[in-house]
Amino acid sequence: MRSNDNITITLIRHAESKFNEAECDPVYGGFYGAKFHPDLIDPLITDRGIAQTKKAHAKVATKSYDFIFVSPLRRTLQTATMVFENNPGKPKFVAVPWLSEYFHSAGDLGSDLETVKETFKHVDFSVLSELENPDFWYLENLADEKWKKSMLQKIEEQGIVDKNKAAVFILSEMKKRRDAPESNSDFKARIEKAKTFIKNFVAKEGSEKNYALVAHAYFIEEFTATSKSYGRWFDNCEVKEFSIDE
């Protein structure tokens, strides 16, 4: 929906994930332990997260949505599906790779894409299909071409065919680094790419329609930042309207 010269969109952070839960669980050794734990790759949401989606569902139930932009990670796909279930607008769900979280932990690697597509059949994954390497769409987000290519080469050399096992290998390589594979400046550039995608999409589909975006904490914080103010931190499943300046 357009307001004056802005595009107004409903922003929602995903519900509590098993990674969020693990960050406070001493079994995982706190955040650092959870950060590189292979069991927390592309986690689903928790029972508490499911309860959060029901509250968010009630907040958006009376508004008819046409399109839902969603990160391809499972916690966002789950959240979007539950929050907009039976929405009167019967919205189309569009997976957008540039909406994924800042790439720095287990939770930011994707699962086997074909399995995800099978689970979320109502979601349009065609944007991912246009990438050079859709199976590793989360690597495609990275501006560090050298590291990205080295990961794909090592996976091929070791004969790792299973995409979930490949993600475990990539996580082990991430743990060896002193920094995250995605720099802050690269992350900001990716978010600008996401904004451009949304603006172009709205220009094509119509500014009179209603749009929502389901993504992640760091992503939304940077997405809502302006030249005059810091971005806004969202709690799990928080719902808020936001205007993208043209």
Side-chain angles (χ1 to χ4, degrees):
M1 177 180 291
R2 186 180 299 274
S3 175
N4 298 324
D5 293 326
N6 298 331
I7 297 171
T8 301
I9 189 168
T10 302
L11 298 182
I12 304 176
R13 181 189 172 189
H14 64 79
E16 182 190 68
S17 71
K18 293 183 178 179
F19 185 92
N20 296 144
E21 184 180 56
E23 289 178 279
C24 302
D25 188 341
V27 172
Y28 287 92
F31 172 74
Y32 187 80
K35 184 177 181 180
F36 296 112
H37 200 293
D39 289 349
L40 297 174
I41 290 175
D42 197 13
L44 295 171
I45 64 176
T46 64
D47 289 341
R48 180 161 49 188
I50 292 172
Q52 291 169 344
T53 66
K54 293 178 180 178
K55 292 181 179 179
H57 177 277
K59 292 180 180 179
V60 302
T62 58
K63 182 175 180 178
S64 296
Y65 285 86
D66 298 283
F67 292 96
I68 313 299
F69 303 119
V70 58
S71 157
L73 293 169
R74 294 191 300 173
R75 58 192 181 277
T76 39
L77 292 167
Q78 260 192 305
T79 300
T81 299
M82 293 178 179
V83 170
F84 293 98
E85 183 178 14
N86 298 322
N87 185 270
K90 297 182 179 179
K92 180 178 180 180
F93 295 79
V94 182
V96 183
W98 308 295
L99 305 186
S100 63
E101 184 59 299
Y102 171 56
F103 193 73
H104 72 300
S105 70
D108 310 323
L109 287 92
S111 302
D112 176 71
L113 183 57
E114 293 308 310
T115 302
V116 172
K117 287 181 179 179
E118 186 66 24
T119 303
F120 299 96
K121 293 181 179 179
H122 58 288
V123 177
D124 179 1
F125 288 92
S126 61
V127 178
L128 277 70
S129 299
E130 296 171 1
L131 299 175
E132 182 179 351
N133 200 333
D135 286 330
F136 295 100
W137 62 265
Y138 51 92
L139 290 182
E140 291 292 314
N141 277 337
L142 301 179
D144 187 343
E145 290 290 336
K146 183 178 180 180
W147 191 80
K148 178 172 63 178
K149 289 180 179 179
S150 72
M151 290 299 98
L152 295 174
Q153 183 177 350
K154 289 179 180 179
I155 288 169
E156 183 177 2
E157 290 173 349
Q158 296 192 26
I160 304 174
V161 177
D162 185 288
K163 300 304 184 296
N164 291 327
K165 291 182 179 178
V168 172
F169 172 78
I170 293 169
L171 182 64
S172 69
E173 293 295 300
M174 289 170 63
K175 190 175 182 179
K176 297 176 184 178
R177 295 177 59 111
R178 293 184 177 181
D179 57 355
E182 185 170 41
S183 69
N184 288 332
S185 59
D186 289 343
F187 182 48
K188 290 179 179 180
R190 172 158 66 85
I191 287 174
E192 289 305 312
K193 190 173 184 178
K195 287 184 178 180
T196 298
F197 172 86
I198 292 169
K199 290 176 182 178
N200 291 340
F201 192 101
V202 171
K204 178 182 178 182
E205 296 294 338
S207 60
E208 75 283 358
K209 296 179 180 177
N210 291 322
Y211 301 85
L213 182 155
V214 183
H216 309 267
Y218 290 122
F219 176 92
I220 293 176
E221 183 178 32
E222 186 59 42
F223 189 86
T224 56
T226 69
S227 58
K228 298 180 180 179
S229 64
Y230 293 109
R232 192 178 188 284
W233 183 265
F234 275 47
D235 293 329
N236 288 121
C237 237
E238 185 171 354
V239 181
K240 192 85 172 178
E241 297 294 306
F242 178 72
S243 293
I244 304 174
D245 294 334
E246 282 286 80

